[in-house]
Amino acid sequence: MNQDISRDPIAFISQADHALSTLWIKELQLAMPEEKILAFSDMSAIEREQCRVAIVANPDPAELSTLPRLEWIHSVWAGVERLMADLGDTKLKIVRLVDPQLATTMAEAVLAWTLYLHRQMPLYKQQQKLRLWKAQEYITPAKKTVSILGLGALGEAAAKCLISAGFKLCGWSRNPKQIKNVQCFSGNDGLKEMLAQTNILICLLPLTPETRYLLDAEKISMLPAGAELINFARGAIIRDLDLRAALDSTHLNHAVLDVFEVEPLPPNEWHWDHPRVTVLPHCSAPTNRNTASAIVAKNIENYRLSGAIPAHVDTRRGY
Amino acid sequence: MNQDISRDPIAFISQADHALSTLWIKELQLAMPEEKILAFSDMSAIEREQCRVAIVANPDPAELSTLPRLEWIHSVWAGVERLMADLGDTKLKIVRLVDPQLATTMAEAVLAWTLYLHRQMPLYKQQQKLRLWKAQEYITPAKKTVSILGLGALGEAAAKCLISAGFKLCGWSRNPKQIKNVQCFSGNDGLKEMLAQTNILICLLPLTPETRYLLDAEKISMLPAGAELINFARGAIIRDLDLRAALDSTHLNHAVLDVFEVEPLPPNEWHWDHPRVTVLPHCSAPTNRNTASAIVAKNIENYRLSGAIPAHVDTRRGY
């Protein structure tokens, strides 16, 4: 009996297409050969009855509610605010993916698109269209301040890369932090002080009730004229129409946006053909199925051994 | 008399416009207040008679030939192949600029545009134009080989940045070299071996009789299908129409070109609107007037003290 319970099947629940779900199940099964991982649609009534753990990637909440013994779910994504909203008031524990590879990939994306702005690639692209040969004045990175909103694992890894590239670094977090070679700020006054000296602002915050629409017209106006912005976190952290106004007035020179309130970004949205916007399809730091599966496997193994559910999301704090 | 000779005036000779020449003379004069630095057009007949050293930025050779005692010229640029061609068979010693800041700025440019290709920015730009939301498969830098042609000061600095970013590095130079974490090649066979395993090829070679048209149809065909190329050195290192053919056939996926056989790139050239070409206006590593002036000043000070002309270009080797 114990043996049975210790090897209850694990559901993989996702609204992704069949091909992608199959890739995930294959990779997860390879990472934990002793477990039985099944797509929700492939589970028998008895298997659904037994299931205590599910691995999820944008799951249909209705499917989760058909698993009576389900105790916890492991997301293969780092951001879980949509999952929490979908589940509402629940006793289910949510474990989000904390993958060092994700921080590495995100830090690379931050470096890549910071250099894209620093080296004025959008302007040179426009000049190419006009067949205009004109080298712009070059400013060394030591004379530019890059500020990161959010100093968790992703923010710290990104800061390290940007320091190596020679930029001056500032960072802002909910609670005061100390990071080598980063001028750290916290609180509302700290945010204002930081924004006033920022040339390139990078958003890596989780979306919570406190960060929703954090960047509105007032905050954006505190940035110096000509500042630039990268949002690799969640669309709703920026008030979209305030961003548009700041770009239209050229107060903001350019925005690189990888995330939007509605994704995929609908074809009629203004961002697509705004000359000061680079639209990316949520590609800054894709989950690596291989490293993510190894981490999920490790967490499930620990749970099998100790019965303890891994560190999970604080639903009040929101991450 | 000795005193007079030790402080002969220094000519600044350039075909740049008056405003830019004035900026240069101002910065150079600040860096060596004991010297008398004059624009060629401002020099008296006696001053021209006395002048033994000239600082040059794309000079008119006719002006140089009116200075009877001229011994050596200090270019404020790193590339001197045009200067050598203009001067022809001459006894004048040519000193080129070797500025660590230049290597830093060039390494940054190499990193920036390598990440531009690695992160598929040209493709995402096209998708934005089509309002297409599609995240491409992400490949980690550990699975990509970046190869550098030219392992001088610029190539070594660039390699270091790319290794930090996680890429596999290869490098090719005229003479065999050893650089930590770089698989080094030399010679014609070495070049072929390296090209066959290269995903992104970066050209940082000086233009010499040996490197002119080094990259022709045969060499380009040795790169794997879908390879990409960055030329930050000199246009004539690549056979232009062979490059075009390789891009047209999609054997090469993309080329970032900062240098061309004729600069500014004429408006009717094919590069401007080729979808697989990024045209840059020779902006990858602009000379920094401030750091360059300090280096020129140091070289001239040494010459004043010892009478020895600093390390100069080997006109047979070409750099």
Side-chain angles (χ1 to χ4, degrees), chain A residues 110-157:
Chain A
V110 168
L111 179 62
W113 274 280
T114 299
L115 290 172
Y116 168 82
L117 294 174
H118 169 57
R119 284 302 191 125
Q120 301 184 271
M121 294 190 200
L123 181 55
Y124 284 127
K125 180 75 198 170
Q126 282 192 317
Q127 290 189 183
Q128 179 174 351
K129 223 182 290 172
L130 301 171
R131 298 177 183 238
L132 174 62
W133 180 274
K134 186 172 187 232
Q136 301 293 325
E137 184 79 9
Y138 172 73
I139 296 165
T140 59
K143 289 185 180 163
K144 286 196 181 171
T145 299
V146 181
S147 297
I148 300 178
L149 294 170
L151 295 173
L154 302 187
E156 271 206 57

Short mmCIF file of all heavy atoms in Angstrom, two decimals, chain A residues 110-157:
data_model
loop_
_atom_site.label_atom_id
_atom_site.label_comp_id
_atom_site.label_asym_id
_atom_site.label_seq_id
_atom_site.Cartn_x
_atom_site.Cartn_y
_atom_site.Cartn_z
N VAL A 110 19.46 40.22 -21.16
CA VAL A 110 19.58 41.59 -20.67
C VAL A 110 20.83 42.24 -21.27
O VAL A 110 20.78 43.38 -21.76
CB VAL A 110 19.64 41.62 -19.12
CG1 VAL A 110 20.07 42.98 -18.61
CG2 VAL A 110 18.29 41.22 -18.54
N LEU A 111 21.94 41.51 -21.26
CA LEU A 111 23.17 42.05 -21.84
C LEU A 111 22.99 42.33 -23.34
O LEU A 111 23.36 43.40 -23.84
CB LEU A 111 24.33 41.06 -21.62
CG LEU A 111 25.68 41.49 -22.20
CD1 LEU A 111 26.19 42.77 -21.56
CD2 LEU A 111 26.72 40.37 -22.03
N ALA A 112 22.40 41.36 -24.05
CA ALA A 112 22.25 41.49 -25.51
C ALA A 112 21.42 42.72 -25.87
O ALA A 112 21.82 43.53 -26.72
CB ALA A 112 21.60 40.23 -26.09
N TRP A 113 20.27 42.91 -25.19
CA TRP A 113 19.42 44.03 -25.59
C TRP A 113 19.85 45.35 -24.95
O TRP A 113 19.52 46.41 -25.44
CB TRP A 113 17.94 43.69 -25.39
CG TRP A 113 17.38 42.98 -26.60
CD1 TRP A 113 16.97 43.57 -27.78
CD2 TRP A 113 17.20 41.57 -26.80
NE1 TRP A 113 16.57 42.62 -28.68
CE2 TRP A 113 16.68 41.38 -28.12
CE3 TRP A 113 17.43 40.45 -26.02
CZ2 TRP A 113 16.38 40.11 -28.64
CZ3 TRP A 113 17.14 39.19 -26.54
CH2 TRP A 113 16.62 39.04 -27.83
N THR A 114 20.62 45.29 -23.87
CA THR A 114 21.23 46.53 -23.36
C THR A 114 22.28 47.03 -24.36
O THR A 114 22.32 48.23 -24.69
CB THR A 114 21.87 46.29 -21.98
OG1 THR A 114 20.85 45.88 -21.07
CG2 THR A 114 22.52 47.57 -21.44
N LEU A 115 23.09 46.11 -24.88
CA LEU A 115 24.08 46.49 -25.89
C LEU A 115 23.40 46.95 -27.17
O LEU A 115 23.88 47.86 -27.86
CB LEU A 115 25.05 45.33 -26.16
CG LEU A 115 26.02 45.00 -25.02
CD1 LEU A 115 26.79 43.71 -25.32
CD2 LEU A 115 27.01 46.15 -24.77
N TYR A 116 22.27 46.35 -27.49
CA TYR A 116 21.45 46.77 -28.65
C TYR A 116 21.07 48.24 -28.52
O TYR A 116 21.19 49.01 -29.49
CB TYR A 116 20.23 45.85 -28.66
CG TYR A 116 19.07 46.20 -29.56
CD1 TYR A 116 19.09 45.88 -30.91
CD2 TYR A 116 17.91 46.79 -29.05
CE1 TYR A 116 18.00 46.14 -31.73
CE2 TYR A 116 16.82 47.05 -29.85
CZ TYR A 116 16.87 46.73 -31.19
OH TYR A 116 15.78 47.00 -32.00
N LEU A 117 20.67 48.64 -27.32
CA LEU A 117 20.33 50.06 -27.11
C LEU A 117 21.59 50.91 -27.01
O LEU A 117 21.68 51.98 -27.63
CB LEU A 117 19.49 50.21 -25.84
CG LEU A 117 18.10 49.57 -25.88
CD1 LEU A 117 17.41 49.67 -24.51
CD2 LEU A 117 17.23 50.23 -26.95
N HIS A 118 22.56 50.45 -26.25
CA HIS A 118 23.81 51.20 -26.04
C HIS A 118 24.49 51.49 -27.38
O HIS A 118 25.01 52.59 -27.60
CB HIS A 118 24.72 50.36 -25.14
CG HIS A 118 26.13 50.84 -25.02
ND1 HIS A 118 26.44 52.12 -24.59
CD2 HIS A 118 27.31 50.22 -25.28
CE1 HIS A 118 27.77 52.25 -24.60
NE2 HIS A 118 28.31 51.12 -25.01
N ARG A 119 24.49 50.51 -28.28
CA ARG A 119 25.14 50.68 -29.58
C ARG A 119 24.20 51.25 -30.64
O ARG A 119 24.51 51.22 -31.84
CB ARG A 119 25.75 49.36 -30.04
CG ARG A 119 27.05 49.00 -29.30
CD ARG A 119 28.08 50.12 -29.49
NE ARG A 119 29.39 49.74 -29.03
CZ ARG A 119 30.49 49.82 -29.82
NH1 ARG A 119 30.43 50.29 -31.04
NH2 ARG A 119 31.66 49.47 -29.32
N GLN A 120 23.03 51.71 -30.20
CA GLN A 120 22.09 52.42 -31.07
C GLN A 120 21.68 51.62 -32.31
O GLN A 120 21.50 52.17 -33.41
CB GLN A 120 22.70 53.78 -31.48
CG GLN A 120 23.01 54.64 -30.26
CD GLN A 120 23.53 56.02 -30.62
OE1 GLN A 120 24.72 56.20 -30.78
NE2 GLN A 120 22.64 56.97 -30.75
N MET A 121 21.48 50.34 -32.12
CA MET A 121 21.12 49.50 -33.27
C MET A 121 19.80 49.90 -33.92
O MET A 121 19.70 49.86 -35.14
CB MET A 121 21.14 48.02 -32.86
CG MET A 121 22.54 47.51 -32.50
SD MET A 121 22.57 45.72 -32.31
CE MET A 121 24.06 45.50 -31.32
N PRO A 122 18.78 50.31 -33.12
CA PRO A 122 17.54 50.72 -33.79
C PRO A 122 17.78 51.93 -34.72
O PRO A 122 17.24 51.97 -35.83
CB PRO A 122 16.60 51.10 -32.63
CG PRO A 122 17.11 50.31 -31.46
CD PRO A 122 18.62 50.26 -31.65
N LEU A 123 18.59 52.88 -34.30
CA LEU A 123 18.87 54.05 -35.12
C LEU A 123 19.65 53.67 -36.38
O LEU A 123 19.35 54.14 -37.49
CB LEU A 123 19.65 55.08 -34.28
CG LEU A 123 20.03 56.39 -34.98
CD1 LEU A 123 18.80 57.08 -35.56
CD2 LEU A 123 20.74 57.32 -33.99
N TYR A 124 20.66 52.81 -36.23
CA TYR A 124 21.44 52.39 -37.40
C TYR A 124 20.56 51.61 -38.39
O TYR A 124 20.76 51.69 -39.60
CB TYR A 124 22.67 51.58 -36.97
CG TYR A 124 23.78 52.45 -36.42
CD1 TYR A 124 24.36 52.20 -35.19
CD2 TYR A 124 24.26 53.54 -37.16
CE1 TYR A 124 25.38 53.01 -34.68
CE2 TYR A 124 25.27 54.35 -36.66
CZ TYR A 124 25.83 54.08 -35.43
OH TYR A 124 26.83 54.89 -34.94
N LYS A 125 19.59 50.88 -37.87
CA LYS A 125 18.66 50.14 -38.76
C LYS A 125 17.84 51.15 -39.57
O LYS A 125 17.65 50.96 -40.78
CB LYS A 125 17.75 49.27 -37.89
CG LYS A 125 16.74 48.46 -38.67
CD LYS A 125 17.40 47.29 -39.35
CE LYS A 125 16.52 46.74 -40.47
NZ LYS A 125 17.22 45.76 -41.30
N GLN A 126 17.38 52.19 -38.91
CA GLN A 126 16.62 53.23 -39.64
C GLN A 126 17.50 53.92 -40.67
O GLN A 126 17.06 54.20 -41.78
CB GLN A 126 16.08 54.26 -38.66
CG GLN A 126 14.85 53.77 -37.91
CD GLN A 126 14.17 54.91 -37.18
OE1 GLN A 126 14.83 55.74 -36.55
NE2 GLN A 126 12.85 54.97 -37.25
N GLN A 127 18.75 54.22 -40.29
CA GLN A 127 19.67 54.86 -41.24
C GLN A 127 19.90 53.96 -42.46
O GLN A 127 19.99 54.46 -43.58
CB GLN A 127 21.00 55.17 -40.55
CG GLN A 127 20.90 56.28 -39.53
CD GLN A 127 22.25 56.76 -38.99
OE1 GLN A 127 22.30 57.61 -38.12
NE2 GLN A 127 23.36 56.22 -39.48
N GLN A 128 19.99 52.63 -42.20
CA GLN A 128 20.19 51.73 -43.33
C GLN A 128 19.02 51.81 -44.29
O GLN A 128 19.21 51.85 -45.51
CB GLN A 128 20.36 50.29 -42.81
CG GLN A 128 20.55 49.27 -43.95
CD GLN A 128 20.87 47.86 -43.46
OE1 GLN A 128 21.12 47.64 -42.28
NE2 GLN A 128 20.84 46.92 -44.39
N LYS A 129 17.80 51.87 -43.74
CA LYS A 129 16.61 51.97 -44.58
C LYS A 129 16.68 53.23 -45.46
O LYS A 129 16.25 53.23 -46.60
CB LYS A 129 15.36 51.99 -43.68
CG LYS A 129 14.24 51.12 -44.19
CD LYS A 129 13.00 51.20 -43.31
CE LYS A 129 13.19 50.54 -41.96
NZ LYS A 129 12.05 50.78 -41.02
N LEU A 130 17.24 54.31 -44.90
CA LEU A 130 17.34 55.59 -45.61
C LEU A 130 18.63 55.70 -46.44
O LEU A 130 18.90 56.74 -47.03
CB LEU A 130 17.29 56.74 -44.59
CG LEU A 130 16.05 56.82 -43.70
CD1 LEU A 130 16.25 57.85 -42.60
CD2 LEU A 130 14.82 57.15 -44.54
N ARG A 131 19.44 54.64 -46.43
CA ARG A 131 20.75 54.64 -47.10
C ARG A 131 21.60 55.82 -46.61
O ARG A 131 22.28 56.49 -47.39
CB ARG A 131 20.59 54.70 -48.63
CG ARG A 131 19.86 53.47 -49.14
CD ARG A 131 19.58 53.48 -50.63
NE ARG A 131 18.82 52.27 -50.95
CZ ARG A 131 19.20 51.35 -51.82
NH1 ARG A 131 20.32 51.50 -52.50
NH2 ARG A 131 18.46 50.28 -52.04
N LEU A 132 21.52 56.05 -45.33
CA LEU A 132 22.25 57.16 -44.69
C LEU A 132 23.48 56.62 -43.97
O LEU A 132 23.38 55.77 -43.09
CB LEU A 132 21.31 57.86 -43.70
CG LEU A 132 21.92 58.97 -42.83
CD1 LEU A 132 22.43 60.13 -43.70
CD2 LEU A 132 20.88 59.47 -41.83
N TRP A 133 24.64 57.14 -44.35
CA TRP A 133 25.92 56.74 -43.75
C TRP A 133 26.29 57.79 -42.72
O TRP A 133 26.73 58.89 -43.07
CB TRP A 133 26.98 56.67 -44.85
CG TRP A 133 28.35 56.27 -44.39
CD1 TRP A 133 29.32 57.11 -43.90
CD2 TRP A 133 28.91 54.96 -44.39
NE1 TRP A 133 30.44 56.39 -43.59
CE2 TRP A 133 30.23 55.07 -43.89
CE3 TRP A 133 28.45 53.70 -44.76
CZ2 TRP A 133 31.08 53.97 -43.75
CZ3 TRP A 133 29.29 52.61 -44.62
CH2 TRP A 133 30.58 52.74 -44.12
N LYS A 134 26.09 57.48 -41.46
CA LYS A 134 26.37 58.48 -40.43
C LYS A 134 26.71 57.79 -39.10
O LYS A 134 25.83 57.23 -38.44
CB LYS A 134 25.14 59.39 -40.24
CG LYS A 134 25.41 60.54 -39.28
CD LYS A 134 24.26 61.53 -39.25
CE LYS A 134 24.70 62.71 -38.41
NZ LYS A 134 23.77 63.05 -37.37
N ALA A 135 27.99 57.86 -38.72
CA ALA A 135 28.40 57.29 -37.44
C ALA A 135 27.95 58.24 -36.32
O ALA A 135 28.21 59.43 -36.38
CB ALA A 135 29.91 57.08 -37.40
N GLN A 136 27.28 57.69 -35.32
CA GLN A 136 26.84 58.48 -34.18
C GLN A 136 27.99 58.61 -33.18
O GLN A 136 28.87 57.76 -33.12
CB GLN A 136 25.64 57.80 -33.50
CG GLN A 136 24.44 57.62 -34.42
CD GLN A 136 23.81 58.94 -34.82
OE1 GLN A 136 23.76 59.88 -34.04
NE2 GLN A 136 23.33 59.00 -36.07
N GLU A 137 27.95 59.66 -32.38
CA GLU A 137 28.94 59.83 -31.32
C GLU A 137 28.87 58.63 -30.38
O GLU A 137 27.79 58.22 -29.98
CB GLU A 137 28.63 61.15 -30.57
CG GLU A 137 29.64 61.52 -29.50
CD GLU A 137 30.93 62.15 -30.04
OE1 GLU A 137 30.97 62.46 -31.25
OE2 GLU A 137 31.88 62.32 -29.25
N TYR A 138 30.02 58.07 -30.06
CA TYR A 138 30.05 56.89 -29.18
C TYR A 138 30.29 57.32 -27.74
O TYR A 138 31.21 58.08 -27.45
CB TYR A 138 31.16 55.93 -29.63
CG TYR A 138 31.39 54.79 -28.67
CD1 TYR A 138 30.46 53.76 -28.58
CD2 TYR A 138 32.50 54.76 -27.83
CE1 TYR A 138 30.65 52.72 -27.68
CE2 TYR A 138 32.69 53.72 -26.94
CZ TYR A 138 31.77 52.70 -26.86
OH TYR A 138 31.95 51.68 -25.97
N ILE A 139 29.49 56.81 -26.84
CA ILE A 139 29.65 57.09 -25.41
C ILE A 139 30.05 55.79 -24.72
O ILE A 139 29.42 54.75 -24.94
CB ILE A 139 28.33 57.64 -24.82
CG1 ILE A 139 27.99 58.98 -25.48
CG2 ILE A 139 28.40 57.78 -23.31
CD1 ILE A 139 26.56 59.41 -25.26
N THR A 140 31.11 55.84 -23.91
CA THR A 140 31.57 54.60 -23.27
C THR A 140 30.55 54.14 -22.21
O THR A 140 29.85 54.97 -21.63
CB THR A 140 32.94 54.80 -22.57
OG1 THR A 140 32.80 55.82 -21.60
CG2 THR A 140 34.01 55.20 -23.57
N PRO A 141 30.48 52.82 -21.97
CA PRO A 141 29.51 52.33 -20.99
C PRO A 141 29.76 52.89 -19.59
O PRO A 141 28.83 52.98 -18.79
CB PRO A 141 29.68 50.80 -21.04
CG PRO A 141 30.98 50.56 -21.72
CD PRO A 141 31.24 51.74 -22.61
N ALA A 142 31.01 53.29 -19.30
CA ALA A 142 31.31 53.85 -17.98
C ALA A 142 30.53 55.14 -17.73
O ALA A 142 30.37 55.57 -16.59
CB ALA A 142 32.81 54.12 -17.85
N LYS A 143 30.02 55.74 -18.81
CA LYS A 143 29.25 56.98 -18.66
C LYS A 143 27.75 56.74 -18.74
O LYS A 143 26.98 57.68 -18.89
CB LYS A 143 29.68 57.99 -19.73
CG LYS A 143 31.08 58.55 -19.47
CD LYS A 143 31.47 59.64 -20.44
CE LYS A 143 32.87 60.15 -20.11
NZ LYS A 143 33.45 60.90 -21.24
N LYS A 144 27.35 55.47 -18.68
CA LYS A 144 25.92 55.16 -18.74
C LYS A 144 25.49 54.38 -17.51
O LYS A 144 26.18 53.46 -17.09
CB LYS A 144 25.60 54.34 -19.99
CG LYS A 144 25.64 55.17 -21.25
CD LYS A 144 24.96 54.44 -22.39
CE LYS A 144 25.02 55.28 -23.65
NZ LYS A 144 24.58 54.52 -24.82
N THR A 145 24.34 54.73 -16.96
CA THR A 145 23.80 54.02 -15.80
C THR A 145 22.66 53.11 -16.25
O THR A 145 21.69 53.58 -16.85
CB THR A 145 23.30 55.00 -14.73
OG1 THR A 145 24.42 55.78 -14.30
CG2 THR A 145 22.70 54.26 -13.55
N VAL A 146 22.81 51.84 -15.95
CA VAL A 146 21.75 50.87 -16.21
C VAL A 146 21.15 50.50 -14.86
O VAL A 146 21.89 50.18 -13.92
CB VAL A 146 22.31 49.61 -16.91
CG1 VAL A 146 21.19 48.62 -17.19
CG2 VAL A 146 23.03 49.98 -18.20
N SER A 147 19.84 50.54 -14.76
CA SER A 147 19.17 50.23 -13.49
C SER A 147 18.25 49.05 -13.66
O SER A 147 17.51 48.97 -14.64
CB SER A 147 18.37 51.44 -13.01
OG SER A 147 19.23 52.52 -12.75
N ILE A 148 18.32 48.16 -12.69
CA ILE A 148 17.52 46.93 -12.74
C ILE A 148 16.43 46.99 -11.68
O ILE A 148 16.71 47.23 -10.50
CB ILE A 148 18.41 45.70 -12.51
CG1 ILE A 148 19.48 45.62 -13.60
CG2 ILE A 148 17.57 44.42 -12.50
CD1 ILE A 148 20.45 44.46 -13.44
N LEU A 149 15.19 46.78 -12.09
CA LEU A 149 14.08 46.66 -11.16
C LEU A 149 13.92 45.18 -10.83
O LEU A 149 13.60 44.38 -11.72
CB LEU A 149 12.79 47.19 -11.79
CG LEU A 149 12.75 48.69 -12.09
CD1 LEU A 149 11.51 49.02 -12.93
CD2 LEU A 149 12.73 49.50 -10.79
N GLY A 150 14.16 44.83 -9.58
CA GLY A 150 14.07 43.43 -9.19
C GLY A 150 15.45 42.84 -9.04
O GLY A 150 16.17 42.70 -10.01
N LEU A 151 15.83 42.50 -7.80
CA LEU A 151 17.19 42.00 -7.54
C LEU A 151 17.15 40.58 -6.99
O LEU A 151 17.90 40.23 -6.08
CB LEU A 151 17.93 42.94 -6.60
CG LEU A 151 18.21 44.35 -7.16
CD1 LEU A 151 18.79 45.26 -6.08
CD2 LEU A 151 19.14 44.27 -8.36
N GLY A 152 16.27 39.76 -7.55
CA GLY A 152 16.27 38.33 -7.22
C GLY A 152 17.39 37.64 -8.00
O GLY A 152 18.35 38.27 -8.43
N ALA A 153 17.23 36.32 -8.19
CA ALA A 153 18.26 35.54 -8.88
C ALA A 153 18.51 36.10 -10.29
O ALA A 153 19.66 36.22 -10.73
CB ALA A 153 17.83 34.08 -8.97
N LEU A 154 17.43 36.47 -10.99
CA LEU A 154 17.60 36.98 -12.35
C LEU A 154 18.28 38.34 -12.35
O LEU A 154 19.22 38.58 -13.12
CB LEU A 154 16.24 37.11 -13.06
CG LEU A 154 15.37 35.86 -13.18
CD1 LEU A 154 14.15 36.16 -14.06
CD2 LEU A 154 16.14 34.70 -13.79
N GLY A 155 17.84 39.23 -11.47
CA GLY A 155 18.40 40.58 -11.42
C GLY A 155 19.87 40.57 -11.05
O GLY A 155 20.68 41.30 -11.65
N GLU A 156 20.23 39.74 -10.10
CA GLU A 156 21.65 39.68 -9.69
C GLU A 156 22.53 39.16 -10.80
O GLU A 156 23.62 39.69 -11.05
CB GLU A 156 21.80 38.78 -8.46
CG GLU A 156 21.64 39.56 -7.17
CD GLU A 156 22.39 38.88 -6.01
OE1 GLU A 156 23.62 38.67 -6.12
OE2 GLU A 156 21.72 38.57 -5.00
N ALA A 157 22.08 38.10 -11.50
CA ALA A 157 22.88 37.54 -12.59
C ALA A 157 23.03 38.57 -13.71
O ALA A 157 24.11 38.72 -14.30
CB ALA A 157 22.22 36.26 -13.12
#
